[in-house]
Amino acid sequence: MRKNSIKNTRINNEVQRELSNIIRGEIKDPRIHPMTSVVSVEVAPDLKSARAYISVLGDEEAQENTMAGLRSAEGYIRRALAKSINLRNTPEIRFILDQSIEYGVAMSKLIDSVNRESAGDEEV
């Protein structure tokens, strides 16, 4: 199976949707921030491993606590994923912190401030 095959893309999307549901609704760990989202998932073609990119809207401490909570709940998440998705192998999930959303928000704020400054210069 090629890495970008239709089957692999479909599996990635299904695992991402189920991971989001599990993290949002089933995990009761207080370390996991309520504004946690699964940005993307990359499942290996052999279905043995997966990388889940997680975004946390909050400060660095909230991000570290959320990642620690997710790492400690890996076994539970994998079992819940096995129950909800019928795959030949349930992938071993590795959580990776993705700060692209936070970076995009910061860039958007910078662009807005530059636009406001340039609009103020034109009025003078």
Side-chain angles (χ1 to χ4, degrees):
M1 181 167 65
R2 291 185 322 258
K3 184 171 178 136
N4 293 329
S5 69
I6 294 170
K7 181 179 178 183
N8 198 329
T9 303
R10 194 178 311 137
I11 289 171
N12 289 344
N13 291 336
E14 185 68 24
V15 170
Q16 179 180 354
R17 182 177 27 245
E18 289 301 322
L19 266 180
S20 295
N21 291 337
I22 292 167
I23 291 172
R24 187 177 344 106
E26 296 181 26
I27 297 179
K28 305 292 188 232
D29 193 333
R31 293 178 289 182
I32 297 176
H33 195 271
M35 295 297 289
T36 301
S37 62
V38 180
V39 177
S40 68
V41 173
E42 293 176 1
V43 179
D46 64 354
L47 304 177
K48 299 271 188 200
S49 64
R51 287 182 288 193
Y53 295 94
I54 306 295
S55 176
V56 180
L57 191 63
D59 58 350
E60 282 187 37
E61 183 181 352
Q63 292 174 352
E64 291 171 8
N65 289 340
T66 298
M67 294 308 289
L70 288 174
R71 287 189 184 104
S72 70
E74 276 180 357
Y76 174 80
I77 293 171
R78 190 172 182 194
R79 276 192 306 277
L81 194 62
K83 288 179 184 176
S84 61
I85 297 179
N86 186 17
L87 291 174
R88 183 175 58 239
N89 297 319
T90 304
E92 184 176 328
I93 303 164
R94 201 171 90 226
F95 295 103
I96 300 169
L97 185 63
D98 184 17
Q99 297 176 330
S100 62
I101 294 175
E102 187 176 321
Y103 179 77
V105 169
M107 284 294 131
S108 180
K109 286 180 181 177
L110 285 173
I111 291 170
D112 289 344
S113 68
V114 167
N115 285 340
R116 271 188 251 113
E117 287 176 8
S118 66
D121 290 344
E122 290 174 2
E123 291 176 3
V124 175

